[in-house]
Amino acid sequence: MSNAPDPQAAPAVDENQLIAERRDKLAHIRQACAGGAGVAFPNDFKPADRAQTLADTFGAHSKEALEPMNQRASVAGRMMLKRVMGKASFATLQDGSLGSAGGRIQIYVNNDSVGEALHQAFKHWDLGDIVAAEGVLFKTRTGELTIHADHVRLLTKSLRPLPDKFHGVADQEIKYRQRYVDLITDDAARTRFAARSKAVSGMRQFMVNHGFMEVETPMLHPIPGGANAKPFTTHHNALDQEMFLRIAPELYLKRLLVGGFERVFEINRSFRNEGVSVRHNPEFTMMEFYAAYWNYQDLMDFTEALIRDAAQQAVGTLQLTYGGKDVDLSAPFARMTIREAIDTHTDAGAHADDAAWLTQALAKLGLGADKTAGKSLAGLQVMYFEELVEEKLWQPTFICEHPVEISPLARASDERPDVTERFELYITGREFGNGFSELNDAEDQAARFHAQVAAKDSGDDEAMFFDHDFVRALEYGMPPAGGCGVGIDRLMMLLTDSASIRDVILFPALRHQG
């Protein structure tokens, strides 16, 4: 079998050579500008139209109906395609509009309309250049809406060529590292992030419509709190003290309940110094909200409505598909305790109430005594649930009654003091939200913090610190309340059928390249 090159194959293109050629073109443009022919990167053109608006307004018109209208259009965008045919050229410009047209519109340039000199210059403009065009709309023989340009202008010279192919596993890291290229070349990426923007805006409006006030709390904390997680640390030079990036805004938001604001929310960036995976990014977005005189049952009702509204705002439907399987957000979300979930999804039966049996079962799953030692029955049930049940919760399900030992900020159940009035929302086998009736007993909270400190002293680096100021706030009296956090990144994975959290974060965490 011969390894000789195929004589018919296109010659390999040296990207550095292409960049050099483009820089040479820019040098000529600068030289011409120095002679009084304008500026190399003008900033005085203001497009009057958007490609998608033109498509929506005139796309259905026939060639015969459009011609007598003499409808002028003015657009600007990145040149994505170009066909040069002697005295005439076609090009496709892409602007920031979204929709069925993909933000693209065709322009037609010829010697008669723009003059031979400008047309000749246009022929040497490159794909990726940002171009302005003005002219009259018409339909080509194939029915494509087109601007017959009587004026074209180079606004930005692109120095790097766009990739010919931009898909496949081999290019995934490039898509994340060079998101700007991903957005230029992939309509689906632009649509996905537009959906995220709609969802976040919709959630914000939903909260305001229900009487919540948006607030901002610190991102630099003297004590990390509000979640069991390992924080990022930094140093504040002016204060000469160690500080921590926020792992959750919870304790500050509850201070505001003490202060008299009865419904507050924050769409926040939080940071956890933990692993990176398809579900985890160390910097992430969530929304936390707190309402006085609510309990965890009220929170579940509200969270269910919130998720539905976000889906409707982002993608316009409650019937979703994720990974090829249906997800129905329109049906009432299931509600069950951890114990009921074990009964529903495993054959453990009465054994699930036997600590010794659970310890043995967990050992068989690879969780030895170093993981299970000292756990209560409720704690062992949580571990068993996480190993065997969690991934089976495909349709929206609230899982309730988490043990006190892993819920240091939640109110204990009056009927079962070993568990809390807490829920986690699962969809597609993943956690999307966490909420509970808030612990407002200052003495109980202090005791819980002491237990967390003991756990930290025993080697648990995710256990909480003792927050004396928060306990002091509770001593002034916090009304009974409920609070919940919803992970926006994971929610967007669901709403846009994205397999990785990196697909819904514009600039995900990656190892630095020099």
Side-chain angles (χ1 to χ4, degrees):
M1 182 175 179
S2 173
N3 291 320
D6 181 358
Q8 302 299 319
V13 178
D14 183 345
E15 184 178 54
N16 291 330
Q17 179 184 341
L18 293 177
I19 293 173
E21 290 173 357
R22 292 187 178 213
R23 289 189 183 277
D24 187 56
K25 291 179 182 180
L26 177 58
H28 282 86
I29 293 171
R30 292 189 193 278
Q31 186 176 13
C33 292
V39 295
F41 290 84
N43 190 25
D44 58 353
F45 181 82
K46 308 215 179 290
D49 301 291
R50 307 274 276 174
Q52 187 61 49
T53 304
L54 292 173
D56 292 341
T57 306
F58 301 105
H61 286 55
S62 67
K63 185 177 185 295
E64 293 73 22
L66 192 58
E67 186 173 351
M69 295 175 66
N70 198 34
Q71 178 65 47
R72 290 193 62 79
S74 163
V75 299
R78 191 179 299 275
M79 188 158 60
M80 303 299 291
L81 297 168
K82 186 174 73 168
R83 289 180 292 136
V84 175
M85 300 176 294
K87 295 183 179 181
S89 301
F90 285 93
T92 299
L93 304 186
Q94 175 178 287
D95 64 18
S97 59
L98 295 169
S100 57
R104 298 186 178 195
I105 189 163
Q106 182 171 260
I107 64 171
Y108 171 69
V109 182
N110 63 14
N111 290 350
D112 294 337
S113 60
V114 301
E116 184 175 355
L118 182 54
H119 185 209
Q120 282 301 117
F122 174 81
K123 291 179 181 180
H124 291 87
W125 297 350
D126 295 301
L127 298 186
D129 288 352
I130 296 175
V131 174
E134 297 175 279
V136 176
L137 289 174
F138 75 102
K139 285 284 187 75
T140 63
R141 283 179 294 180
T142 59
E144 184 169 357
L145 185 66
T146 305
I147 298 174
H148 188 165
D150 50 40
H151 178 71
V152 290
R153 189 177 179 194
L154 179 62
L155 301 180
T156 302
K157 182 66 197 165
S158 171
L159 298 180
R160 287 184 177 270
L162 297 176
D164 293 327
K165 295 180 180 179
F166 200 75
H167 61 274
V169 175
D171 292 327
Q172 281 298 328
E173 186 165 337
I174 296 176
K175 291 166 77 76
Y176 300 144
R177 287 191 181 277
Q178 300 176 18
R179 183 66 80 186
Y180 38 89
V181 181
D182 182 30
L183 295 172
I184 290 170
T185 57
D186 188 353
D187 291 346
R190 290 196 303 279
T191 300
R192 182 166 62 249
F193 287 106
R196 179 184 176 118
S197 178
K198 290 178 183 177
V200 173
S201 296
M203 292 172 77
R204 177 174 278 112
Q205 192 59 52
F206 186 87
M207 300 305 293
V208 172
N209 290 345
H210 285 82
F212 284 81
M213 182 176 72
E214 184 171 12
V215 297
E216 296 170 299
T217 62
M219 295 178 70
L220 281 175
H221 291 186
I223 296 174
N228 292 95
K230 187 175 181 180
F232 286 94
T233 61
T234 186
H235 185 80
H236 195 298
N237 289 337
L239 299 178
D240 191 24
Q241 68 181 39
E242 185 179 50
M243 300 287 282
F244 302 89
L245 294 183
R246 172 171 60 196
I247 59 174
E250 178 170 343
L251 301 187
Y252 283 93
L253 291 172
K254 288 196 283 194
R255 284 172 168 92
L256 298 179
L257 294 183
V258 172
F261 291 129
E262 294 183 348
R263 293 189 182 187
V264 294
F265 79 99
E266 182 174 13
I267 296 175
N268 64 90
R269 298 290 279 182
S270 290
F271 307 84
R272 298 181 184 177
N273 199 356
E274 300 169 345
V276 177
S277 72
V278 295
R279 301 187 194 184
H280 300 90
N281 194 67
E283 177 182 2
F284 60 97
T285 304
M286 64 176 174
M287 183 175 78
E288 287 205 12
F289 59 93
Y290 293 81
Y293 313 111
W294 282 16
N295 60 28
Y296 79 122
Q297 298 287 351
D298 302 309
L299 289 172
M300 284 190 280
D301 293 339
F302 188 80
T303 302
E304 187 170 332
L306 171 69
I307 297 293
R308 287 201 187 99
D309 188 76
Q312 200 68 52
Q313 296 290 337
V315 294
T317 181
L318 301 181
Q319 306 299 324
L320 308 178
T321 300
Y322 187 80
K325 294 174 64 176
D326 292 338
V327 177
D328 183 9
L329 297 182
S330 66
F333 293 7
R335 301 183 185 190
M336 59 181 71
T337 65
I338 291 173
R339 184 66 182 82
E340 289 167 343
I342 291 173
D343 273 344
T344 302
H345 295 284
T346 75
D347 57 2
H351 293 302
D353 294 318
D354 184 337
W357 184 90
L358 286 170
T359 300
Q360 289 183 341
L362 289 167
K364 292 177 182 177
L365 294 170
L367 300 176
D370 58 321
K371 302 290 185 181
T372 58
K375 295 289 185 182
S376 67
L377 172 61
L380 293 170
Q381 288 172 340
V382 168
M383 296 178 70
Y384 190 76
F385 163 85
E386 290 174 343
E387 291 297 314
L388 295 181
V389 179
E390 187 175 302
E391 65 183 11
K392 298 175 183 177
L393 302 175
W394 191 263
Q395 298 300 333
T397 305
F398 290 112
I399 297 295
C400 308
E401 296 189 358
H402 294 69
V404 169
E405 65 198 66
I406 62 169
S407 309
L409 301 170
R411 184 181 189 277
S413 167
D414 291 336
E415 290 75 28
R416 288 189 57 195
D418 59 327
V419 299
T420 57
E421 294 184 351
R422 176 184 170 191
F423 67 82
E424 289 182 336
L425 172 61
Y426 287 89
I427 312 174
T428 65
R430 300 173 181 180
E431 180 196 340
F432 280 74
N434 177 33
F436 40 82
S437 302
E438 298 297 337
L439 178 60
N440 62 344
D441 181 334
E443 293 180 346
D444 190 354
Q445 183 64 81
R448 304 271 195 99
F449 277 151
H450 279 302
Q452 288 288 300
V453 170
K456 184 173 287 293
D457 291 342
S458 298
D460 184 354
D461 59 4
E462 293 187 355
M464 292 184 187
F465 290 76
F466 195 110
D467 191 330
H468 291 277
D469 182 71
F470 179 67
V471 172
R472 178 166 51 224
L474 292 184
E475 289 172 346
Y476 280 94
M478 185 180 83
C484 179
V486 175
I488 290 178
D489 302 320
R490 287 193 184 177
L491 178 59
M492 291 315 305
M493 289 175 65
L494 170 67
L495 298 183
T496 61
D497 193 10
S498 298
S500 171
I501 197 169
R502 292 180 174 183
D503 293 327
V504 298
I505 296 176
L506 281 167
F507 301 102
L510 298 166
R511 189 180 299 278
H512 176 67
Q513 290 183 333

